[in-house]
Amino acid sequence: DKFYSFARQNICVVCGKSREYIRKNIVPKFYRRHFPRSVKEHNSHDILLFCVDCMHSYSRHQCTLEKQFAAEYDVPPDIGTSHLDPQLVQVKRVACVLSMWGNLLPEDRRQSFMLQVASHFNCPPGDLTLEMIQQATQIDASIRKPVTAGEMVVSRAMEQGELDDLQRRWRKHFLDIMKPNYLPQLWSINHRLQQQ
């Protein structure tokens, strides 16, 4: 591939600034990580240098295309998000208080906290052990949805034979929005698409 035989300059591909640059993926990582290995391996074509200002500017515009892909591939807006289970957060919180200051708490408060932790373990408060309280301090209260939006978009694009189009559209979006002046030689929106 001739693209990789040319030396790249250490400058922002958009404005040419030669200091404080960051590597940025034109096709975002949260999509790219779900690409087939053959597409991801040995392919740094879409990793370009941006100065901080240009990177922030482009990052703001990426949301538009992300939302467009989510709509086109029927991806729910909250997929892949995580949130905290308020009941587990409360059990963890009172368990931490019990483990650190249990003996210093007023008796009615201590009993209330023990009841909350015991109910988590489905046991009477009298059967609650220090080990169970310690275990409750380590509760992971986050609830995660198993599939991310990026994974679902890529999966559906592959099912429809549109993975090349997905990459091409990200590259074109970058060109249209940022109008870069310092792209590496032979950089193309169609790079390696037909070989996949």
Side-chain angles (χ1 to χ4, degrees):
D1 189 340
K2 288 185 179 182
F3 172 78
Y4 295 105
S5 64
F6 290 101
R8 293 195 196 189
Q9 293 181 299
N10 287 328
I11 59 173
C12 173
V13 296
V14 177
C15 70
K17 186 175 181 180
S18 63
R19 293 190 336 245
E20 300 173 0
Y21 43 81
I22 300 167
R23 291 186 317 168
K24 180 156 182 61
N25 289 280
I26 300 305
V27 178
K29 283 183 184 179
F30 60 88
Y31 290 112
R32 193 161 187 78
R33 77 171 48 107
H34 303 292
F35 284 10
R37 178 171 278 148
S38 61
V39 177
K40 291 188 294 189
E41 287 183 343
H42 309 294
N43 188 358
S44 61
H45 178 267
D46 291 326
I47 301 172
L48 299 174
L49 295 179
F50 283 71
C51 70
V52 174
D53 292 337
C54 291
M55 192 270 302
H56 287 304
S57 176
Y58 185 57
S59 293
R60 285 192 300 269
H61 292 284
Q62 283 183 308
C63 294
T64 305
L65 193 55
E66 290 166 16
K67 288 176 185 174
Q68 190 174 341
F69 282 137
E72 287 176 25
Y73 291 105
D74 295 321
V75 176
D78 64 344
I79 191 163
T81 59
S82 65
H83 63 281
L84 297 177
D85 181 323
Q87 290 177 321
L88 291 178
V89 169
Q90 179 64 16
V91 169
K92 183 175 183 171
R93 185 176 295 134
V94 298
C96 289
V97 170
L98 282 171
S99 75
M100 295 174 73
W101 300 292
N103 294 336
L104 303 174
L105 293 172
E107 186 59 25
D108 61 330
R109 186 134 174 120
R110 190 170 76 75
Q111 289 299 323
S112 170
F113 286 0
M114 289 180 66
L115 179 63
Q116 290 179 58
V117 176
S119 67
H120 172 71
F121 289 105
N122 295 319
C123 71
D127 292 347
L128 192 64
T129 65
L130 288 175
E131 184 179 280
M132 292 166 82
I133 292 171
Q134 282 304 114
Q135 185 179 350
T137 66
Q138 303 301 314
I139 290 174
D140 179 5
S142 60
I143 300 171
R144 292 176 190 85
K145 296 188 178 180
V147 177
T148 66
E151 182 178 4
M152 188 174 276
V153 166
V154 170
S155 174
R156 291 183 177 171
M158 287 171 43
E159 287 169 7
Q160 297 173 25
E162 298 174 354
L163 188 59
D164 285 353
D165 188 52
L166 185 80
Q167 290 183 89
R168 185 181 299 108
R169 287 175 63 192
W170 271 113
R171 293 169 180 170
K172 183 170 179 354
H173 180 263
F174 162 65
L175 291 176
D176 292 346
I177 296 296
M178 297 307 291
K179 300 184 181 4
N181 293 310
Y182 303 93
L183 283 171
Q185 284 185 316
L186 300 182
W187 194 91
S188 164
I189 63 171
N190 294 313
H191 182 259
R192 287 186 67 183
L193 296 179
Q194 55 278 36
Q195 296 175 15
Q196 295 166 15

